[in-house]
Amino acid sequence: MRIDAYEDPGAPDRRGGWRYLAWLVRRQWPRCLAGAVLASVWMVLLAATPYLMARAVDHGLEPGDLGALAGWTGAMVAVGGVNAWLGMMRHRTMTKVRMDANFRTVKVVVGHATRLGAALRGQVGTGEVVTIGVGDVQTISTSLTAVGPGVGAVVAYAAVGGLMLSVSPRLALVVLLGVPALGVLLGPLMGRLQGREAEYRERQSVLTARIGDLAGGLRVLNGLGGKGLVADAFRRDSGRLREQGYRVGAVTSWIQALGVGLPVLFLALVTWLGARQAAQGHISVGELVSVYGYVVALGWPVAFLIEMGHQLSRGVVAARRVVAFLGLEPAPDEGTRDAPAEPSVLYDPASGVRITPGRLTALVTAHPSDATGILDRLGRYTPSDATWGDIPLTEIPLTQVRARILVADPEADLFAGTLSAVIGVPDTDPRGAGNCATSHNAPTPAPGQQPTGADEAPHLTAAINAAAAEDIVRALPDGLKTQVAAQARDLSGGQRQRIRLARALLTDPEVLLAAEPTSALDAHTEATVADRLRAARQGRTTVLAATSPLLLDRADVVHHLVDGKVAATGTHRELLDSEPGYRALVARDAEDGEAAEEGEPAR
């Protein structure tokens, strides 16, 4: 019953929360069956102890038969020892059930997020994904306790009812009708809990997204003086979440209070009826002792049944959220025409930008969103009429586009791992931490591209050199083997930018589209990157959205965009001489650029 955290999780049932929970059970049915059997035997043996005690009193203690008393006492000791072992095995098995459900759900969610790719952010917020990964996964796995203790509670409840039937049909009837009555009383609260829990989870995901946005943009907000406004909005949102949490807690407290109080009243009734029957001579002293024991033994299954209902109510809410996430689909890929066999012109009719293959092209605009919109259209991340050669991009299979065109997102995620893995060379163990993250899309290595694994080391060195990132490697205690935190939080903004650029260059795509790849660098480093980037991409198509004169001066072609459309095209120096608007846009960095080229201190 080994749990393999890396095996194929299978195809989940997406037809609803209950069906998803059932699928988790079916995927590990031998383990779930073992947990149910162990829990059932464990709980039934808890009820067997009062039965053996009654036999010891009636057949050994009362008639004075020491041999019978010793025999029944020994049986109780043996049953206790076996039950202790069963309890341990039950707990171990159910822990494996929960861990399997946890890993399986994580793999399903992460796998689906990977399949969605760039479409993920457009369909669901970051907070929703984080809430699923942090809270819902754990809630779902915990709800599977119904498989073991839940089934065992039902079996033990029936067994105790059968044992009490041999003592008194009246007592057996009270026992058999008691728990259904508890279910009728607690059922409406379970339904209300599902509604409150669903709303709470929804608000929680919104607030989680707000926390991420606030943390990521705190420095900018502080500089613009907007930190107080965002903090006030966050305070209001967190207050609403707290109020919703109180509502969930109110329902939960009623369920827990009734779950504790009603069984006590129920068991007190059974004890009182048993004592009356013993006083009237309808049952023996030993049978009365057994009734007391059965009442105590009933506490476990009754408690588990109530807990099972509570956990299932929460689990199905979490499962519905997972199912809703799994229901998201990327835009259909209807491409049927092969991409151009040779490097070809990329053309965006919406802006008039024409990208000549094999050249370094720059896009300059006062509105960065205009340039990134063009890159997204040329990279086929948004619907457009863009063409590759004479073929519309939308008619080319997406896998072919991704294999040859890379859009390097300036805010691409950096996963935790060794620096070499973060840049793009996986650890020797394919299951090790730190597998590389994609820039915006990860091009599938095409025939003729660099190999992977150990043979990729020279290409890694070249990519690091082209991004002027050698000093980062030298400054880290273990060089490329140094562990880097998630999002490279232990590196500076400029270092993170160069790591992202090195990762993009390592893939060596036929077409590289990058937005502001040097915006966080000082002028001297930026000049170095500009020279090395041009040399590294010689003969390959590169498009940069930037306003830095240091980059623009190295470009073969510069498109000046006004209101999202090409207003002028030429070299950097030609546009400086002929276009006042272009000159005014890039002049703010010209002084820094000249200082860098003259070797003066960088900003």
Side-chain angles (χ1 to χ4, degrees), residues 9 71 136 165 171 201 245 321 328 402 438 445 460 474 482 486 488 566 572 577 589:
D136 293 331
L165 187 63
L171 291 177
R201 291 290 186 184
R321 290 168 57 83
L328 301 176
R402 295 289 179 265
T438 56
L460 175 62
R474 290 194 298 266
T482 302
V566 175
H572 171 58
D577 293 337
D589 293 330

Side-chain angles (χ1 to χ4, degrees), residues 363-455:
L363 306 179
V364 180
T365 175
H367 304 288
S369 60
D370 292 340
T372 55
I374 294 171
L375 299 184
D376 283 344
R377 292 196 292 272
L378 295 177
R380 199 182 151 185
Y381 281 99
T382 55
S384 71
D385 296 324
T387 58
W388 194 3
D390 59 351
I391 307 172
L393 273 174
T394 54
E395 296 182 11
I396 301 174
L398 191 59
T399 53
Q400 295 187 29
V401 176
R402 295 289 179 265
R404 297 170 62 182
I405 301 177
L406 170 65
V407 179
D409 191 329
E411 297 298 328
D413 292 325
L414 298 171
F415 295 158
T418 62
L419 180 60
S420 62
V422 170
I423 294 175
V425 178
D427 296 333
T428 303
D429 180 1
R431 295 181 176 185
N435 292 331
C436 62
T438 56
S439 290
H440 191 43
N441 60 310
T444 305
Q449 283 190 320
Q450 66 267 33
T452 59
D455 294 334

Side-chain angles (χ1 to χ4, degrees), residues 105 109-110 112-113 116 119-138 140 197-213 241 316-328:
T105 301
V109 170
V110 172
H112 190 65
L116 287 173
L120 175 63
R121 291 186 178 180
Q123 298 190 52
V124 64
T126 305
E128 179 74 6
V129 179
V130 172
T131 301
I132 289 175
V134 174
D136 293 331
V137 170
Q138 184 65 34
I140 288 171
E197 185 82 15
E199 186 177 349
Y200 177 79
R201 291 290 186 184
E202 201 69 35
R203 289 184 180 275
Q204 188 179 39
S205 65
V206 172
L207 190 63
T208 303
R210 184 70 58 84
I211 292 173
D213 293 342
L241 180 65
V316 74
V317 171
R320 286 169 183 162
R321 290 168 57 83
V322 170
V323 167
F325 177 77
L326 297 178
L328 301 176

Side-chain angles (χ1 to χ4, degrees), residues 1 24-25 28 37 58 144 187 228 268 270 278 359 363 385 388 409 424 430 447 453 465 473 476 563 591:
M1 291 188 180
L24 289 176
V25 173
Q28 50 173 331
V37 170
D58 286 343
L144 292 193
V270 174
R359 307 184 75 180
L363 306 179
D385 296 324
W388 194 3
D409 191 329
N465 177 266
V473 178
L476 296 175
D563 295 330
E591 188 174 315

Side-chain angles (χ1 to χ4, degrees), residues 551-565:
L551 284 178
L552 299 176
D553 196 39
R554 275 73 171 179
D556 297 310
V557 178
V558 178
H559 293 300
H560 179 214
L561 306 172
V562 177
D563 295 330
K565 297 184 181 297

